Every structure is written in C-alpha cells, then in structure tokens.
Amino acid sequence: ASANIGVVGLAVMGANLARNLASREGNTVAIYNRSPERTNNLAAAHPEAGFVTTETMQEFADSLQRPRTAIIMVQAGKATDAVIDQLCEVFEPGDIIVDGGNALFDDTIRRERAVRERGLHFVGAGISGGEEGALNGPSIMPGGPAESYETLGPILESIAARAPEDGTPCVTHVGTDGAGHFVKMVHNGIEYADMQLIGEAYDLLRRVGGLEPAQIADMFAEWNRGDLESYLIEITAEVLRHVDPETNAPFVDIIVDRAGMKGTGTWTVQTALSLAVPVSGIGEAVFARGVSGRTAQREAVRPTITSRPEMPVVDESFVEDVRLALYASKVIAYAQGFDLILSGAEEYGWDINPGAVAKIWRAGCIIRARFLNRIADAYGRDPQLQSLIADPYFAGEVAASDAAWRRVVATAAYAGVPAPAFGASLSYYDSLASDRLPAALIQGQRDFFGAHTYGRVDKPGAFHTDWSGDRTERRTDA
Ligand code: NBP
C-alpha cells in the first residue's frame, strides 16, 4: 500500500481534487473511477501527479495505507450510495469514507449511521469553489466523527484555500454527521441571496439611476474596494463590463433573463421552513429565480399593465444609497443564514462554532468576502449572540445604512422595479426592531375561530375568550 489518500469519481471535480491532493508535499493519491478510461486518461494527462491507478475497488483498497481514507466525488444521490456500499465491502473498521459531493444533509445523517454500524467512519464534507476551487484550493466543510478529523484534517488542510488575512486553511471540523453538508447548503442559500441583492442593485442603478452597464461595472469595481469587497461583486463588474463580440451590445443584454438553479437554494428554504427559521432574503432570492422562469405568465401579465408608474427622479446620491441598501441587506442575509445554521445545530445536536464557519468561508468559496472577518469577530465577542444584527458592530453598520435603505426600497416601489430581497430584508429588520408585532392580533383571530388560546402581557398562563358566548375569559392551562 503506497497511497495515503484515494479519490473515487474522476469527473471534473474529482479529477481536480485528485490533482490538488497530489500536488501537496507528502501525498500519494490512489485514483478509481467506475469507467477506467477516466482513470487512465487522468494519469496519462498528469504524469507529474504520480497517481496510483486502480481498476477495481479491491485494488483501490489495497493501494491505501491504514486507516484508509477515500474521498468520493461522484454524482450526488444514488451513485453516492452505490459507491459507499462498494467501499464498505473492501474497507475495514477504522477506515474513513469521505463524501465530497453535494449531498443533502439528511442523506449524510443516514449514511453516517449506516457506515458507522459497519465499524467505519463516514464524513460528509461540503466542498465549495467549483472546478477551480477543487484544483487550487476549495473551502471545505467536513462533518462526521471528530476522531476521523485527526487523520483527515491535515490532508484537507493541505489542499484547502488559505484566508488572505492570516493564511489559515479554509477547513474546520464543522460538527458531527450531517453538519458539514448542512453548512454547505446554507452557504449556497446565502450565495443565492447575495446574487439576488447584487442583481437588484444593478437593476435599480440602471432603470432608476439611468446608468449604462459599463458605468455600473465601474461602480461595482469601486465598491469592491470597500465594505462590500467580495468575489461576487468582483465578477459582477467583469460580467457587466463585457461586450458581446457578435452584436457589440452589453453582454448582460444578450443573456436570456431566466435564472437556472440546481436545488441547494430550495433545500435551504425548505429546511428553514421546517425549522421555522425566517430566511426571507434567501427565500425571495429563490422565488425571484422562479419568477424569472415563469415565461408564459410574464408574457400574459405584461400587456395587461396599462399604466406604468412614473420614474422617480434621483440624483447622484442614489448610487451611494443603493450601495448602503445592498450592504445592509447583505448583513441581513448572513444574519438569517447564521440563524439557520445555529437553529440546525440545536435541532440536530451539532456543536457548530459560527465564528469558525465564517472564517472558512473567507477564501475558496463563492461567497468569500472581506466582511466574513467581521462576522467571525462578532461571534468571537459573544459566542451566544442572538443575531448578527444584535452585535454592536453590525447594529451600527445597519443603523448607518437605515435611511438610505428605506429610500431605496421606497424608490423601487414607486418606480415599479422589483426589489424583493431588499424589501424582505428591510421588513425582517423592522420586525425584529418593533416593540409590538401584529402577531398579537393573529393570536386573537386564532383564538376566535379555533380556540387556539393566547398569552397575556400582564400575567402568565394560556387563555381563551368565549367569542360566541358572553366573551368571558378563562384560563386554560391551570
Ligand atoms: P458528476 O456529478 O457529473 O458525476 C460524474 C461522476 O459520477 C463520474 O465519475 C461517474 O462515473 C460517477 N458515477 C455516476 Br454518474 N454513477 C455512478 C455509479 N453508479 N457508480 C460509480 N460512479 C458513478 O461529477 P462532478 O461534476 O465532478 O461532481 C462530483 C460531485 O461534486 C457531485 O456530487 C457534485 O454535486 C459535487 N460538486 C460539484 C461542483 C461543480 O462545480 N461541478 C461543485 C461542488 C460540488 P463514470 O465516469 O463511470 O460515469
């Protein structure tokens, strides 16, 4: 046995991850793929990697030092289950199976239990950063037993991206069983929100602010030097600056305005709904992609609108207002995402350190951003923080954006330019900030039609009013 790590599944992600592993000092990488052509092609294309090629699962297992460690990078779903079964046949107690695919955390919880019962370790690891991340350094979110991290940790640290601020590898043991894939799912949900908010900012600058895509690209490039500095802002400037070579039109005008999705945003919202965690910014981002795809409805409704609202007149200060609205809404998206992570941790019994999660997102992944340092600092100051916006720094940042944020949401409404994520984020903020919510009235309605009872502000207990009779009140829990 000559390899210290193996990779199963050598499509684009697996091949790049295997090359990344092989390029690090001290690693010898065994590779296996269901169809052997991929294995042989990869080894032939990269002789410098010194891959140990294998054609059967038994050969693969025999080529690995103990405890054997294998990373699976196959299509999420049935293929993953099939490969886990095959590995369990040839691996021995103490060996470690890592699933680096985009698995749903429920599946990871199930698989971890099944593999553990066979005496092996199973680690579901979220890997972010796409093909390029896999090759040059992804952000890695491993779950699974803490014990397996002793073997796996140094290997993953060797290939992970490194935070620009302090060079620490973007990987940490997130928590047990499905914790890693849960955090990866929320990462993707936040990514949806981030992208939608940037999209709304662009739309407002263009349709209300009257700016051209190239001018907006300049704005984004400038914003990328401040609080908003992030990969997504950076690539937004690139996309907006690009001119279609065929038509000479701004590239953004050539793209069909229908956003695709592969499901992780939907998983995030479904999970949040089942845990009753309000992730309204992420939810609006997923719904906005849905609206964009309702082509027939859009075509049916558009001609029925006979009066378009008058476009409000804005001055140069509008650009800064939009920047502040984007920043405040982005803080809310992260506040909601971290709320979901911590609620998931409570529900599933994971000991997740939110500051450590913020730190491993600083490089290698799509939502990498300067302000993740601020999030790590906030949880460092108070690990029990109830909400990111309860932290003094973020509370101050949001308060400083408050007036601009309201002007932008109001302007969008006047102009008839949709800004669902901006609006939902502001409403969420106002809900948390309100002394009293109309939930009191809802409890009254619920008691009226369903005798669901209500609490009183002036004394403990549950109460019901006899709505159909003399409206006397009685305590129902004593
Ligand atoms: P794909 O998701 O396209 O899967 C192709 C691989 O799965 C091939 O190696 C294929 O083997 C193997 N496979 C299939 Br399909 N069915 C199999 C089975 N029953 N038994 C064994 N192997 C089977 O590859 P990918 O795009 O490289 O992604 C790999 C994983 O990484 C996925 O879970 C994906 O969600 C995740 N991921 C992807 C990205 C990204 O940017 N693409 C980012 C982050 C995570 P074959 O060659 O024999 O057909």
Side-chain angles (χ1 to χ4, degrees):
S2 55
N4 65 318
I5 179 90
V7 177
V8 179
L10 302 172
V12 45
M13 287 295 287
N16 281 358
L17 204 71
R19 287 175 58 199
N20 185 351
L21 283 161
S23 72
R24 309 294 164 158
E25 189 72 32
N27 286 339
T28 302
V29 186
I31 53 174
Y32 172 84
N33 192 75
R34 179 180 59 178
S35 25
E37 305 87 75
R38 276 198 209 271
T39 314
N40 297 331
N41 291 346
L42 180 64
H46 295 284
E48 78 287 353
F51 288 126
V52 179
T53 58
T54 63
E55 292 212 355
T56 65
M57 274 293 187
Q58 188 61 57
E59 223 186 300
F60 178 72
D62 292 343
S63 72
L64 287 166
Q65 296 158 8
R66 291 185 198 166
R68 297 182 181 89
T69 308
I71 304 180
I72 304 175
M73 289 304 284
V74 300
Q75 200 173 69
K78 286 198 179 96
T80 306
D81 281 315
V83 171
I84 291 170
D85 277 347
Q86 291 158 19
L87 282 172
C88 283
E89 292 296 319
V90 292
F91 273 22
E92 290 168 306
D95 291 349
I96 303 165
I97 299 173
V98 182
D99 173 21
N102 259 340
L104 180 57
F105 74 95
D106 287 346
D107 286 336
T108 303
I109 292 174
R110 168 180 61 76
R111 289 169 181 151
E112 197 276 335
R113 192 179 308 127
V115 172
R116 178 159 29 93
E117 280 165 9
R118 300 174 77 156
L120 281 69
H121 295 293
F122 184 76
V123 174
I127 299 184
S128 175
E131 293 173 37
E132 201 186 306
L135 183 61
N136 299 317
S139 168
I140 313 176
M141 294 150 256
E147 197 189 331
S148 58
Y149 197 72
E150 285 168 28
T151 307
L152 195 58
I155 299 172
L156 297 181
E157 281 165 18
S158 77
I159 58 163
R162 286 175 183 269
E165 295 82 3
D166 50 24
T168 50
C170 289
V171 54
T172 189
H173 180 242
V174 174
T176 52
D177 55 55
H181 277 136
F182 190 95
V183 165
K184 171 65 180 5
M185 173 188 77
V186 178
H187 163 284
N188 285 31
I190 293 173
E191 176 184 314
Y192 273 62
D194 245 343
M195 292 170 73
Q196 174 65 22
L197 291 168
I198 291 171
E200 291 176 17
Y202 149 76
D203 208 20
L204 285 163
L205 290 175
R206 190 156 188 199
R207 290 165 68 186
V208 182
L211 299 172
E212 291 304 318
Q215 295 172 299
I216 303 172
D218 291 341
M219 300 288 152
F220 277 105
E222 196 182 311
W223 293 357
N224 200 37
R225 288 192 282 274
D227 294 324
L228 284 167
E229 181 189 319
S230 61
Y231 173 70
L232 283 169
I233 293 281
E234 180 191 328
I235 66 165
T236 300
E238 298 284 329
V239 174
L240 286 174
R241 208 187 306 284
H242 186 55
V243 173
D244 176 50
E246 212 169 301
T247 59
N248 268 332
F251 177 66
V252 69
D253 291 345
I254 293 298
I255 309 176
V256 175
D257 62 344
R258 213 167 40 228
M261 48 183 166
K262 280 165 81 180
T264 46
T266 305
W267 288 351
T268 310
V269 178
Q270 283 171 332
T271 305
L273 286 173
S274 70
L275 297 174
V277 181
V279 294
S280 47
I282 299 170
E284 288 297 347
V286 175
F287 288 143
R289 291 198 192 187
V291 170
S292 79
R294 313 289 285 174
T295 311
Q297 283 180 341
R298 290 172 61 190
E299 277 166 12
V301 169
R302 216 178 305 129
T304 68
I305 314 282
T306 47
S307 66
R308 291 304 296 170
E310 210 172 298
M311 205 42 84
V313 178
V314 295
D315 60 22
E316 325 69 87
S317 66
F318 185 63
V319 173
E320 178 61 4
D321 275 4
V322 171
R323 188 187 71 83
L324 290 168
L326 174 56
Y327 183 52
S329 302
K330 183 181 162 101
V331 170
I332 297 297
Y334 282 75
Q336 294 181 343
F338 276 91
D339 194 15
L340 180 54
I341 288 174
L342 291 169
S343 303
E346 200 176 316
E347 173 75 14
Y348 296 102
W350 299 319
D351 184 18
I352 297 182
N353 175 344
V357 170
K359 282 190 174 164
I360 65 169
W361 288 347
R362 290 181 301 169
C365 65
I366 305 299
I367 64 171
R368 58 187 183 258
R370 191 210 282 187
F371 106 137
L372 285 158
N373 284 301
R374 301 290 195 175
I375 297 181
D377 291 345
Y379 284 109
R381 275 190 289 277
D382 179 5
Q384 307 304 321
L385 197 59
Q386 282 291 330
S387 166
L388 212 48
I389 51 171
D391 171 72
Y393 172 77
F394 283 109
E397 292 290 280
V398 174
S401 310
D402 186 288
W405 199 8
R406 293 178 197 288
R407 280 194 295 272
V408 169
V409 171
T411 303
Y414 278 126
V417 174
F422 276 5
S425 304
L426 180 58
S427 286
Y428 172 83
Y429 172 64
D430 284 336
S431 296
L432 288 183
S434 292
D435 286 340
R436 294 272 298 157
L437 291 172
L441 177 59
I442 290 168
Q443 281 300 87
Q445 294 163 334
R446 294 180 71 239
D447 189 59
F448 190 104
F449 66 69
H452 293 299
T453 77
Y454 51 88
R456 292 183 57 102
V457 295
D458 54 357
K459 52 187 170 187
F463 300 88
H464 170 62
T465 288
D466 179 14
W467 295 101
S468 54
D470 62 1
R471 306 211 165 175
T472 53
E473 180 182 79
R474 68 185 163 80
R475 189 166 172 177
T476 59
D477 64 335

